[in-house]
Amino acid sequence: MTTPPPSPTPLWSQCMTHLEAELPQEDVHAWLKPLQARVQGQNLYLFAPNAFVLEEVRERHLSRIRELAGHIGAVHDVLLSVGSPPQSSPSPTEKVTSPSPVSPALSTPSTPNNSTFQSNLNPDFKFDNFVEGRSNQMALAAAWQAAQNPGSRQNNPLLLYGGTGLGKTHLMLAAGNEILRRNPKAQVLYLRSDRFFQEFVDALKKQTTDQFKRRFQDIDTLLIDDIQFFAGKGRSQEEFFHIFNALFDGRQQIILTCDLYPREVEGLEPRLRSRLTSGLAVAIEPPDFETRALIVLSKARERGADVPEDVAMMLAKRMTSNVRELEGAINMLTANANLLRQPITKEFANETLRDLFRAQQSVISITAIQKAVADYYSIQQRDLASKSRTNSITRPRHMAILLCRELTDHSLSEIGEAFGGRDHSTVLNGCRKMRELIESNAKFHADWEKLVRKLTE
């Protein structure tokens, strides 16, 4: 007699227990916690909140989930879908769907019914106009999940950190707008840390600190941008610490951004550092080449500009530091094209942006990358160009080569020449090996993030 599969909650809970023990905490929070489970017949159905979570689960974790589910619950198969479990059991032919986070209809925030509350949110920042890439996937998933389940201990507080102009504020505001769309009565407050500081100082001068504190008591979500500016402001840190604790204890959502991981910010009190990183902290890295190209095309469409793909590829290759500078280049290019009534070609882009390109090239050079990598791994810079094949040298060499490929405009041959006269196929092979290590090894992933951040700050 066949034993029927267990009810969905125990089965998925047991699977998650195994997965949490096997996988990095960031993977569990970003890709597996958002899933909802249901058992029907001999199958386990997993529902992802959006398409990119579904694809990550399918590519990285589905085979292991199937193995665990088959062992624990004797299920026939594990099936993925975007959506939510239906209220009643669907028929085998019934399609279960729900909107994804990139749906324009979902991403347009509603105005709260309480018109007297000033949220300070910019409605232009939405999930559907955020360009997703490998460098920001986890942050996007975390922000979306926080917007779907505000106050959940899994994503509270949510800290997004990384260099200037990488999209931290965009994601924070998109989450706030999505929370308002889902609950128009919610009180969502956005403040920059310097604005918080100034309002607190004004309250001290006017002896209205009690009124200042009451402002935060009834809000549902607090968004604080650039918390690194709290550094050195002891009284403001103390006040924010108490507000933070009150909101957290009340299960109100807190979303923060910072240029650095808080433990790296000098001048923050230890207890505040600890609280800021007590939830989910996710880094956003500079966008890779493919993402930069998508950003160019997306921003051009928003401006109604016709930017050919070859021009987008050129800008993506030569503008490597951050999204903000890339957007500035697009603005300059489209403005000049409109003014001169000329089509946007590679020649026109090269002429219009030559000063920006020159500045970019001087910021990150092969020599600068080699020095940064050599210092980081405590080796000699000349070792990177040597014939040594020991892991202690080849892995830093491959790291430096991949950084040159991603962050400079140099050709494969030029990169190879700078590393001891290696040919282009050797450069490609080094890039492939290091990319595999970064994706499979937590230490090299952390090394990559730190080096990219150091070179692009």
Side-chain angles (χ1 to χ4, degrees), residues 139-188:
L140 176 56
W144 173 252
Q145 185 65 18
Q148 303 307 297
N149 301 288
S152 167
R153 286 292 187 255
Q154 298 171 8
N155 303 286
N156 200 25
L158 172 61
L159 171 69
L160 306 174
Y161 68 95
T164 301
L166 300 182
K168 303 185 300 294
T169 301
H170 188 141
L171 280 180
M172 168 189 277
L173 293 173
N177 284 322
E178 175 64 12
I179 290 171
L180 275 183
R181 188 204 65 80
R182 293 172 62 86
N183 179 14
K185 294 182 179 180
Q187 294 196 356
V188 180

Side-chain angles (χ1 to χ4, degrees), residues 62 88 111 127 156 175 229 288 344:
L62 184 56
S88 58
T111 302
F127 283 116
N156 200 25
F229 293 122
D288 57 21
I344 297 175

Side-chain angles (χ1 to χ4, degrees), residues 2-22 37 39 41-44 46 63-78:
T2 304
T3 303
S7 60
T9 302
L11 172 59
W12 183 236
S13 295
Q14 290 180 61
C15 288
M16 283 294 293
T17 299
H18 287 275
L19 293 166
E20 286 173 345
E22 297 171 6
V39 170
Q42 297 295 311
N43 294 329
L44 170 64
L46 295 177
S63 60
R64 179 56 177 155
I65 293 172
R66 281 178 171 150
E67 181 182 346
L68 288 170
H71 176 71
I72 296 169
V75 299
H76 177 71
D77 199 4
V78 179

Side-chain angles (χ1 to χ4, degrees), residues 274-339:
S274 177
R275 293 304 269 154
L276 294 175
T277 57
S278 61
L280 180 60
V282 186
I284 302 182
E285 301 302 329
D288 57 21
F289 172 75
E290 291 82 0
T291 307
R292 294 197 298 272
L294 288 173
I295 289 170
V296 172
L297 294 172
S298 174
K299 297 299 182 182
R301 280 196 301 270
E302 288 179 7
R303 291 156 178 74
D306 181 17
V307 174
E309 191 169 311
D310 61 341
V311 175
M313 302 282 274
M314 182 182 72
L315 263 65
K317 185 67 177 176
R318 305 191 70 171
M319 303 290 295
T320 59
S321 56
N322 62 57
V323 176
R324 198 167 296 160
E325 291 191 2
L326 189 61
E327 190 167 357
I330 299 164
N331 289 340
M332 184 183 298
L333 186 61
T334 54
N336 275 274
N338 289 334
L339 183 65

